[in-house]
Amino acid sequence: MNQLLQSREAGTDDAGLSRADDDFDSLLFCGRCGERFRASEATDDGWYYRCPSDDCDAEGIREELYPVKDVLPSSH
């Protein structure tokens, strides 16, 4: 998990991400490649999730794919 937080701190193009976003709960973070994407981009059936990046084969919610709200630092 520490690696995930370091990736978040490095910052990419996430200036628009905040805990107040309406669709924040639907965003996922790939623990393998660092990509952020909507959950709907990672599944066809709502049960099996895989990173949508062409050169990454990470899969599984909370195995290699994490809800963004779980990896962002707390706002407290």
Side-chain angles (χ1 to χ4, degrees), residues 4-5 7-30 34-39 41 66-75:
L4 298 175
L5 292 176
S7 176
R8 171 61 178 95
E9 290 168 1
T12 51
D13 244 356
D14 62 351
L17 291 180
S18 73
R19 291 190 173 273
D21 285 346
D22 291 336
D23 62 349
F24 188 79
D25 290 336
S26 68
L27 297 175
L28 296 177
F29 172 82
C30 178
E35 188 75 27
R36 290 183 186 92
F37 46 87
R38 295 192 186 286
E41 295 175 46
Y66 304 91
V68 169
K69 66 181 179 176
D70 290 353
V71 296
L72 284 177
S74 174
S75 59

Side-chain angles (χ1 to χ4, degrees), residues 25-54:
D25 290 336
S26 68
L27 297 175
L28 296 177
F29 172 82
C30 178
R32 189 175 290 181
C33 72
E35 188 75 27
R36 290 183 186 92
F37 46 87
R38 295 192 186 286
S40 62
E41 295 175 46
T43 187
D44 291 326
D45 60 9
W47 290 96
Y48 178 77
Y49 288 81
R50 185 171 186 276
C51 180
S53 180
D54 291 334

